[in-house]
Coordinates of all heavy atoms in Angstrom, one line a residue:
M1 N -41.6 -5.7 69.6 CA -42.9 -6.0 69.0 C -42.7 -6.9 67.8 O -41.8 -6.7 67.0 CB -43.6 -4.7 68.6 CG -44.9 -4.6 69.4 SD -45.8 -3.2 68.8 CE -45.9 -2.3 70.3
N2 N -43.6 -7.8 67.6 CA -43.6 -8.7 66.3 C -44.8 -8.3 65.5 O -45.8 -7.9 65.9 CB -43.8 -10.2 66.7 CG -42.7 -10.7 67.5 OD1 -41.5 -10.3 67.3 ND2 -42.9 -11.6 68.5
Y3 N -44.4 -8.3 64.2 CA -45.4 -7.9 63.1 C -45.7 -9.0 62.2 O -44.6 -9.8 61.9 CB -45.0 -6.6 62.4 CG -44.9 -5.5 63.2 CD1 -43.7 -5.1 63.9 CD2 -46.0 -4.7 63.6 CE1 -43.6 -4.0 64.7 CE2 -46.0 -3.6 64.4 CZ -44.8 -3.2 64.9 OH -44.7 -2.2 65.7
R4 N -46.8 -9.2 61.6 CA -47.1 -10.2 60.6 C -47.9 -9.6 59.5 O -48.8 -8.8 59.7 CB -47.9 -11.3 61.3 CG -48.2 -12.5 60.5 CD -48.9 -13.6 61.2 NE -50.2 -13.0 61.6 CZ -51.2 -13.8 62.0 NH1 -51.1 -15.1 61.9 NH2 -52.4 -13.3 62.4
T5 N -47.5 -9.9 58.3 CA -48.1 -9.4 57.1 C -48.9 -10.6 56.5 O -48.3 -11.7 56.3 CB -47.2 -8.9 56.1 OG1 -46.5 -7.9 56.7 CG2 -47.9 -8.3 54.9
E6 N -50.2 -10.4 56.2 CA -51.0 -11.4 55.6 C -51.5 -10.9 54.2 O -52.0 -9.8 54.1 CB -52.2 -11.7 56.4 CG -51.9 -12.5 57.7 CD -53.1 -12.9 58.4 OE1 -54.2 -13.0 57.8 OE2 -53.0 -13.1 59.6
K7 N -51.4 -11.7 53.2 CA -52.0 -11.5 51.9 C -53.4 -12.0 52.0 O -53.8 -13.0 52.6 CB -51.3 -12.2 50.7 CG -49.9 -11.7 50.5 CD -49.4 -12.4 49.3 CE -48.0 -11.9 49.0 NZ -47.4 -12.6 47.7
I8 N -54.4 -11.1 51.4 CA -55.8 -11.5 51.4 C -56.3 -11.3 50.0 O -55.8 -10.6 49.2 CB -56.7 -10.8 52.4 CG1 -56.6 -9.3 52.2 CG2 -56.2 -11.1 53.9 CD1 -57.5 -8.5 53.1
I9 N -57.4 -12.0 49.8 CA -58.2 -11.8 48.5 C -59.5 -11.0 48.9 O -60.1 -11.5 49.8 CB -58.4 -13.1 47.8 CG1 -57.1 -13.9 47.5 CG2 -59.3 -12.9 46.6 CD1 -57.4 -15.3 47.1
I10 N -59.8 -10.0 48.2 CA -61.1 -9.3 48.4 C -61.8 -9.2 47.1 O -61.4 -8.9 46.1 CB -60.8 -7.9 48.9 CG1 -59.9 -7.8 50.2 CG2 -62.1 -7.1 49.1 CD1 -59.4 -6.4 50.5
D11 N -63.2 -9.7 47.2 CA -64.0 -9.7 46.0 C -64.6 -8.3 45.8 O -64.4 -7.4 46.6 CB -65.0 -10.8 46.0 CG -66.1 -10.7 47.0 OD1 -66.2 -9.6 47.7 OD2 -66.9 -11.6 47.2
D12 N -65.4 -8.2 44.7 CA -66.0 -6.9 44.5 C -67.1 -6.4 45.5 O -67.3 -5.3 45.6 CB -66.9 -7.0 43.1 CG -65.9 -7.2 41.9 OD1 -64.8 -6.8 42.0 OD2 -66.4 -7.6 40.9
N13 N -67.6 -7.3 46.3 CA -68.6 -7.0 47.4 C -67.8 -6.7 48.7 O -68.5 -6.5 49.6 CB -69.5 -8.1 47.6 CG -70.3 -8.3 46.3 OD1 -70.7 -7.4 45.7 ND2 -70.6 -9.7 46.0
G14 N -66.5 -6.8 48.7 CA -65.7 -6.6 49.9 C -65.5 -7.8 50.8 O -64.9 -7.7 51.9
Q15 N -66.0 -9.0 50.4 CA -65.8 -10.2 51.2 C -64.3 -10.5 51.1 O -63.7 -10.5 50.1 CB -66.7 -11.3 50.7 CG -66.6 -12.5 51.5 CD -67.6 -13.5 51.2 OE1 -68.4 -13.4 50.2 NE2 -67.7 -14.6 52.0
K16 N -63.7 -10.9 52.3 CA -62.3 -11.2 52.3 C -62.1 -12.7 52.5 O -62.8 -13.4 53.2 CB -61.7 -10.5 53.5 CG -61.8 -9.0 53.4 CD -61.2 -8.3 54.6 CE -61.3 -6.8 54.5 NZ -60.8 -6.1 55.7
F17 N -61.0 -13.2 51.8 CA -60.6 -14.6 51.9 C -59.2 -14.6 52.2 O -58.3 -13.8 51.7 CB -60.8 -15.3 50.5 CG -62.2 -15.2 50.0 CD1 -62.6 -14.1 49.2 CD2 -63.1 -16.1 50.4 CE1 -63.9 -14.1 48.7 CE2 -64.5 -16.0 49.9 CZ -64.8 -15.0 49.0
K18 N -58.8 -15.5 53.2 CA -57.4 -15.5 53.7 C -57.0 -17.0 53.7 O -57.8 -17.9 53.6 CB -57.2 -14.8 55.0 CG -58.1 -15.4 56.1 CD -57.9 -14.6 57.3 CE -58.8 -15.3 58.4 NZ -58.8 -14.8 59.6
V19 N -55.7 -17.2 54.0 CA -55.1 -18.6 54.1 C -55.9 -19.3 55.3 O -56.1 -18.7 56.4 CB -53.6 -18.5 54.4 CG1 -53.1 -19.9 54.9 CG2 -52.9 -17.9 53.3
G20 N -56.2 -20.5 55.1 CA -57.0 -21.3 56.0 C -58.5 -21.3 55.8 O -59.3 -22.2 56.3
D21 N -59.0 -20.4 55.0 CA -60.4 -20.3 54.7 C -60.8 -21.6 53.8 O -60.0 -21.9 52.9 CB -60.9 -19.1 53.9 CG -60.9 -17.8 54.9 OD1 -60.8 -18.1 56.2 OD2 -61.0 -16.8 54.4
T22 N -62.0 -22.1 54.0 CA -62.5 -23.1 53.1 C -63.4 -22.5 52.1 O -64.4 -21.8 52.5 CB -63.3 -24.2 53.9 OG1 -62.4 -24.8 54.8 CG2 -63.8 -25.3 53.0
V23 N -63.1 -22.6 50.8 CA -63.8 -21.9 49.7 C -64.3 -22.9 48.6 O -63.8 -24.0 48.6 CB -62.9 -20.8 49.1 CG1 -62.6 -19.7 50.2 CG2 -61.6 -21.4 48.5
G24 N -65.1 -22.3 47.8 CA -65.5 -23.0 46.5 C -65.3 -21.9 45.4 O -65.4 -20.7 45.7
I25 N -65.1 -22.4 44.2 CA -65.1 -21.4 43.0 C -65.8 -21.9 41.9 O -66.2 -23.1 41.8 CB -63.6 -21.1 42.7 CG1 -63.0 -22.3 42.0 CG2 -62.7 -20.7 43.8 CD1 -61.8 -22.1 41.1
I26 N -66.2 -20.9 41.0 CA -66.8 -21.2 39.8 C -65.9 -20.6 38.7 O -65.5 -19.4 38.9 CB -68.2 -20.6 39.7 CG1 -69.1 -21.3 40.8 CG2 -68.9 -20.8 38.3 CD1 -70.5 -20.6 41.0
F27 N -65.5 -21.3 37.6 CA -64.6 -20.9 36.6 C -65.4 -19.9 35.7 O -66.6 -20.2 35.4 CB -64.0 -22.0 35.9 CG -63.0 -22.8 36.7 CD1 -63.3 -24.1 37.1 CD2 -61.8 -22.2 37.0 CE1 -62.3 -24.8 37.8 CE2 -60.8 -22.9 37.8 CZ -61.2 -24.2 38.2
N28 N -64.6 -19.0 35.0 CA -65.2 -18.2 34.0 C -64.9 -18.7 32.6 O -64.3 -19.8 32.5 CB -64.7 -16.7 34.1 CG -63.2 -16.6 33.9 OD1 -62.5 -17.5 33.4 ND2 -62.6 -15.5 34.3
K29 N -65.3 -18.0 31.5 CA -65.2 -18.6 30.2 C -63.7 -18.6 29.9 O -63.3 -19.5 29.1 CB -66.0 -17.6 29.2 CG -66.0 -18.2 27.9 CD -66.9 -17.3 27.0 CE -67.0 -17.8 25.6 NZ -68.0 -17.1 24.8
A30 N -62.9 -17.7 30.3 CA -61.5 -17.6 29.9 C -60.7 -18.8 30.4 O -59.7 -19.1 29.7 CB -60.9 -16.3 30.4
S31 N -61.3 -19.5 31.3 CA -60.5 -20.6 31.9 C -60.7 -21.9 31.0 O -59.9 -22.8 31.1 CB -61.1 -21.0 33.3 OG -62.3 -21.5 33.2
G32 N -61.7 -21.8 30.2 CA -62.0 -23.0 29.4 C -62.9 -24.0 30.1 O -63.2 -25.1 29.5
H33 N -63.3 -23.7 31.2 CA -64.1 -24.6 32.0 C -65.3 -23.8 32.6 O -65.8 -24.0 33.7 CB -63.4 -25.2 33.3 CG -62.1 -26.0 32.8 ND1 -62.2 -27.2 32.2 CD2 -60.8 -25.6 32.9 CE1 -61.0 -27.6 31.9 NE2 -60.2 -26.7 32.4
E34 N -66.0 -23.0 31.7 CA -67.0 -22.1 32.2 C -68.1 -22.9 32.9 O -68.6 -23.9 32.4 CB -67.6 -21.3 30.9 CG -68.7 -20.3 31.4 CD -69.2 -19.6 30.2 OE1 -69.0 -20.0 29.1 OE2 -69.8 -18.5 30.5
G35 N -68.4 -22.4 34.0 CA -69.6 -22.9 34.9 C -69.1 -24.0 35.8 O -69.8 -24.4 36.8
G36 N -67.9 -24.7 35.5 CA -67.4 -25.8 36.4 C -66.7 -25.1 37.6 O -66.6 -23.9 37.8
G37 N -66.2 -25.9 38.5 CA -65.5 -25.4 39.6 C -65.4 -26.5 40.6 O -65.3 -27.7 40.3
F38 N -65.2 -26.1 41.9 CA -65.0 -27.1 43.0 C -65.4 -26.4 44.3 O -65.6 -25.2 44.4 CB -63.5 -27.6 43.1 CG -62.5 -26.5 43.2 CD1 -62.2 -25.9 44.4 CD2 -61.8 -26.0 42.1 CE1 -61.3 -24.9 44.6 CE2 -60.9 -25.0 42.2 CZ -60.6 -24.5 43.5
G39 N -65.6 -27.2 45.3 CA -65.9 -26.7 46.6 C -65.1 -27.5 47.7 O -64.3 -28.4 47.4
S40 N -65.2 -27.0 48.8 CA -64.4 -27.6 50.0 C -62.9 -27.6 49.8 O -62.3 -28.6 50.0 CB -65.1 -29.0 50.3 OG -64.5 -29.4 51.5
A41 N -62.4 -26.6 49.4 CA -61.0 -26.4 49.2 C -60.4 -25.4 50.3 O -61.0 -24.4 50.4 CB -60.6 -25.9 47.8
T42 N -59.3 -25.8 50.9 CA -58.7 -24.9 51.9 C -57.6 -24.1 51.2 O -56.7 -24.7 50.6 CB -58.2 -25.7 53.0 OG1 -59.2 -26.4 53.6 CG2 -57.6 -24.7 54.1
I43 N -57.6 -22.7 51.3 CA -56.6 -21.9 50.8 C -55.3 -22.1 51.6 O -55.3 -22.0 52.8 CB -57.0 -20.4 50.8 CG1 -58.2 -20.2 49.9 CG2 -55.8 -19.5 50.4 CD1 -58.7 -18.7 50.0
T44 N -54.2 -22.5 51.0 CA -53.0 -22.8 51.7 C -51.9 -21.7 51.4 O -51.0 -21.5 52.2 CB -52.3 -24.1 51.2 OG1 -52.1 -24.2 49.8 CG2 -53.2 -25.3 51.7
K45 N -52.0 -20.9 50.4 CA -51.1 -19.9 50.0 C -51.7 -19.0 49.0 O -52.3 -19.3 48.1 CB -49.8 -20.5 49.5 CG -48.7 -19.5 49.2 CD -47.5 -20.2 48.6 CE -46.4 -19.2 48.2 NZ -45.2 -19.8 47.6
I46 N -51.5 -17.6 49.3 CA -52.0 -16.6 48.3 C -50.8 -16.0 47.7 O -49.8 -15.6 48.3 CB -52.8 -15.6 49.0 CG1 -54.1 -16.2 49.7 CG2 -53.2 -14.5 48.1 CD1 -55.0 -15.3 50.5
T47 N -50.9 -15.9 46.3 CA -49.8 -15.3 45.5 C -50.3 -14.1 44.9 O -51.4 -13.7 45.0 CB -49.3 -16.3 44.5 OG1 -50.3 -16.6 43.5 CG2 -48.8 -17.6 45.0
D48 N -49.5 -13.4 44.1 CA -49.9 -12.2 43.3 C -50.9 -12.5 42.2 O -51.6 -11.7 41.9 CB -48.6 -11.6 42.7 CG -47.7 -11.0 43.7 OD1 -48.1 -10.8 44.9 OD2 -46.5 -10.8 43.5
T49 N -50.9 -13.7 41.6 CA -51.8 -14.1 40.5 C -52.9 -15.0 40.8 O -53.7 -15.2 40.0 CB -50.9 -14.6 39.4 OG1 -50.3 -15.9 39.9 CG2 -49.9 -13.7 38.9
G50 N -52.9 -15.5 42.1 CA -54.0 -16.5 42.4 C -53.7 -17.1 43.8 O -53.1 -16.4 44.7
F51 N -54.0 -18.4 44.0 CA -53.8 -19.0 45.3 C -53.6 -20.5 45.1 O -54.0 -21.1 44.2 CB -54.9 -18.7 46.3 CG -56.3 -19.2 45.9 CD1 -56.7 -20.5 46.3 CD2 -57.2 -18.4 45.2 CE1 -58.0 -20.9 45.9 CE2 -58.5 -18.8 44.8 CZ -58.8 -20.1 45.2
Q52 N -53.0 -21.1 46.1 CA -52.9 -22.6 46.2 C -53.9 -23.1 47.1 O -54.3 -22.4 48.1 CB -51.5 -23.0 46.7 CG -50.4 -22.8 45.8 CD -49.0 -23.4 46.2 OE1 -48.9 -23.7 47.4 NE2 -48.0 -23.4 45.5
Y53 N -54.5 -24.3 46.8 CA -55.4 -24.8 47.7 C -55.2 -26.4 47.8 O -54.5 -27.0 47.0 CB -56.8 -24.6 47.1 CG -57.1 -25.3 45.7 CD1 -57.7 -26.5 45.6 CD2 -56.8 -24.6 44.6 CE1 -57.9 -27.1 44.4 CE2 -57.0 -25.1 43.3 CZ -57.6 -26.4 43.3 OH -57.9 -27.1 42.0
S54 N -55.8 -26.9 48.8 CA -55.7 -28.3 49.1 C -57.1 -28.9 49.4 O -57.9 -28.2 50.0 CB -54.8 -28.5 50.3 OG -54.8 -29.9 50.7
Q55 N -57.3 -30.1 48.9 CA -58.6 -30.7 49.1 C -58.3 -32.1 49.7 O -57.9 -33.0 49.0 CB -59.4 -30.9 47.8 CG -60.0 -29.6 47.3 CD -60.7 -29.8 45.9 OE1 -60.2 -30.2 45.0 NE2 -61.9 -29.4 46.0
G56 N -58.5 -32.3 51.0 CA -58.5 -33.5 51.7 C -57.2 -34.4 51.6 O -57.2 -35.5 51.3
G57 N -56.0 -33.7 51.8 CA -54.8 -34.4 51.9 C -54.1 -34.6 50.4 O -53.0 -35.1 50.4
K58 N -54.8 -34.2 49.5 CA -54.2 -34.3 48.1 C -53.1 -33.2 48.0 O -53.1 -32.2 48.8 CB -55.2 -34.1 46.9 CG -56.2 -35.2 47.0 CD -57.3 -34.9 45.9 CE -58.4 -35.9 45.9 NZ -59.4 -35.6 44.9
R59 N -52.2 -33.3 47.1 CA -51.2 -32.3 46.9 C -51.8 -31.0 46.6 O -52.8 -31.0 45.8 CB -50.1 -32.8 45.9 CG -50.6 -32.8 44.5 CD -49.5 -33.3 43.6 NE -50.0 -33.4 42.2 CZ -50.1 -32.4 41.3 NH1 -49.7 -31.2 41.7 NH2 -50.5 -32.5 40.1
P60 N -51.2 -29.9 47.0 CA -51.7 -28.5 46.7 C -51.8 -28.3 45.2 O -50.9 -28.7 44.4 CB -50.8 -27.6 47.4 CG -50.1 -28.4 48.4 CD -49.9 -29.8 47.9
K61 N -52.9 -27.6 44.8 CA -53.0 -27.2 43.3 C -53.1 -25.6 43.3 O -53.4 -25.1 44.4 CB -54.2 -27.8 42.8 CG -54.2 -29.4 42.7 CD -55.5 -29.9 42.1 CE -55.4 -31.4 42.1 NZ -56.6 -32.0 41.6
T62 N -53.0 -25.1 42.2 CA -53.0 -23.6 42.0 C -54.1 -23.3 41.1 O -54.4 -23.9 40.1 CB -51.7 -23.2 41.5 OG1 -50.6 -23.6 42.3 CG2 -51.6 -21.6 41.4
V63 N -54.7 -22.1 41.3 CA -55.7 -21.5 40.5 C -55.4 -20.0 40.4 O -55.0 -19.4 41.4 CB -57.2 -21.7 41.0 CG1 -57.4 -21.0 42.3 CG2 -58.2 -21.3 40.0
Q64 N -55.6 -19.5 39.1 CA -55.3 -18.1 38.9 C -56.6 -17.3 39.0 O -57.6 -17.7 38.5 CB -54.6 -17.9 37.6 CG -53.3 -18.4 37.4 CD -52.6 -18.1 36.2 OE1 -53.1 -17.7 35.2 NE2 -51.3 -18.2 36.2
L65 N -56.5 -16.1 39.6 CA -57.6 -15.2 39.8 C -58.3 -14.9 38.4 O -59.5 -14.7 38.4 CB -57.2 -14.0 40.5 CG -56.8 -14.2 42.0 CD1 -56.2 -12.9 42.6 CD2 -57.9 -14.8 42.8
K66 N -57.5 -14.8 37.4 CA -58.1 -14.4 36.0 C -59.1 -15.5 35.6 O -59.8 -15.2 34.7 CB -57.0 -14.1 35.1 CG -56.2 -15.4 34.7 CD -55.1 -15.0 33.6 CE -54.4 -16.3 33.2 NZ -53.3 -16.0 32.2
N67 N -59.0 -16.7 36.1 CA -59.9 -17.7 35.6 C -61.1 -18.0 36.5 O -61.8 -18.9 36.3 CB -59.1 -19.1 35.6 CG -58.0 -19.0 34.5 OD1 -58.1 -18.4 33.5 ND2 -56.9 -19.7 34.7
I68 N -61.3 -17.1 37.5 CA -62.3 -17.3 38.5 C -63.5 -16.4 38.2 O -63.3 -15.1 38.1 CB -61.9 -17.1 40.0 CG1 -60.8 -18.2 40.2 CG2 -63.0 -17.2 40.9 CD1 -60.2 -17.9 41.6
K69 N -64.7 -16.9 38.1 CA -65.9 -16.0 37.9 C -66.4 -15.7 39.2 O -66.8 -14.5 39.6 CB -67.0 -16.8 37.2 CG -68.2 -16.0 37.0 CD -69.2 -16.9 36.2 CE -70.5 -16.1 35.9 NZ -71.4 -16.9 35.1
E70 N -66.3 -16.6 40.2 CA -66.9 -16.4 41.5 C -66.2 -17.2 42.6 O -65.9 -18.4 42.3 CB -68.4 -16.7 41.6 CG -69.0 -16.5 43.0 CD -70.5 -16.9 43.0 OE1 -71.0 -17.1 42.0 OE2 -71.0 -16.9 44.2
I71 N -65.8 -16.6 43.7 CA -65.2 -17.4 44.8 C -66.2 -17.2 46.0 O -66.7 -16.0 46.2 CB -63.8 -17.0 45.1 CG1 -63.2 -17.7 46.2 CG2 -63.7 -15.4 45.4 CD1 -61.7 -17.5 46.5
Y72 N -66.4 -18.2 46.8 CA -67.4 -18.1 47.9 C -66.9 -18.9 49.1 O -66.2 -19.9 48.9 CB -68.8 -18.5 47.5 CG -68.9 -19.9 46.9 CD1 -69.2 -20.9 47.7 CD2 -68.7 -20.1 45.6 CE1 -69.2 -22.2 47.2 CE2 -68.8 -21.4 45.0 CZ -69.0 -22.4 45.8 OH -69.1 -23.7 45.3
K73 N -67.3 -18.5 50.3 CA -66.9 -19.3 51.5 C -67.8 -20.5 51.5 O -69.0 -20.5 51.2 CB -67.2 -18.5 52.7 CG -66.3 -17.3 52.8 CD -65.7 -17.1 54.1 CE -64.8 -15.9 54.1 NZ -64.1 -15.7 55.3
Y74 N -67.1 -21.7 51.6 CA -67.8 -23.0 51.7 C -68.3 -23.2 53.1 O -67.5 -23.0 54.0 CB -66.8 -24.1 51.1 CG -67.5 -25.3 50.7 CD1 -68.1 -25.4 49.5 CD2 -67.4 -26.4 51.5 CE1 -68.7 -26.6 49.1 CE2 -68.1 -27.6 51.2 CZ -68.7 -27.7 50.0 OH -69.3 -28.8 49.6
R75 N -69.4 -23.8 53.3 CA -69.9 -24.1 54.6 C -69.1 -25.1 55.4 O -68.6 -26.1 55.2 CB -71.3 -24.6 54.6 CG -72.2 -23.6 54.0 CD -73.6 -24.1 53.8 NE -74.0 -23.8 52.5 CZ -75.2 -23.9 52.0 NH1 -76.1 -24.5 52.8 NH2 -75.5 -23.6 50.8

């Protein structure tokens, strides 16, 4: 039998986000960019402190969970 382990992100409402999901985020005050954010980013890797994302073929970038006010599934 083969087994696979997946890291996921779960918000306060129980919504789950995993690698391959297209998401948007809004930054919190601690990030220094309060109210800003981005949309249409694909999660490429989930780490212990945040996740890497890609937007349209650009090189992957990283965001830390401590800097996120809200994460949501992008349409």
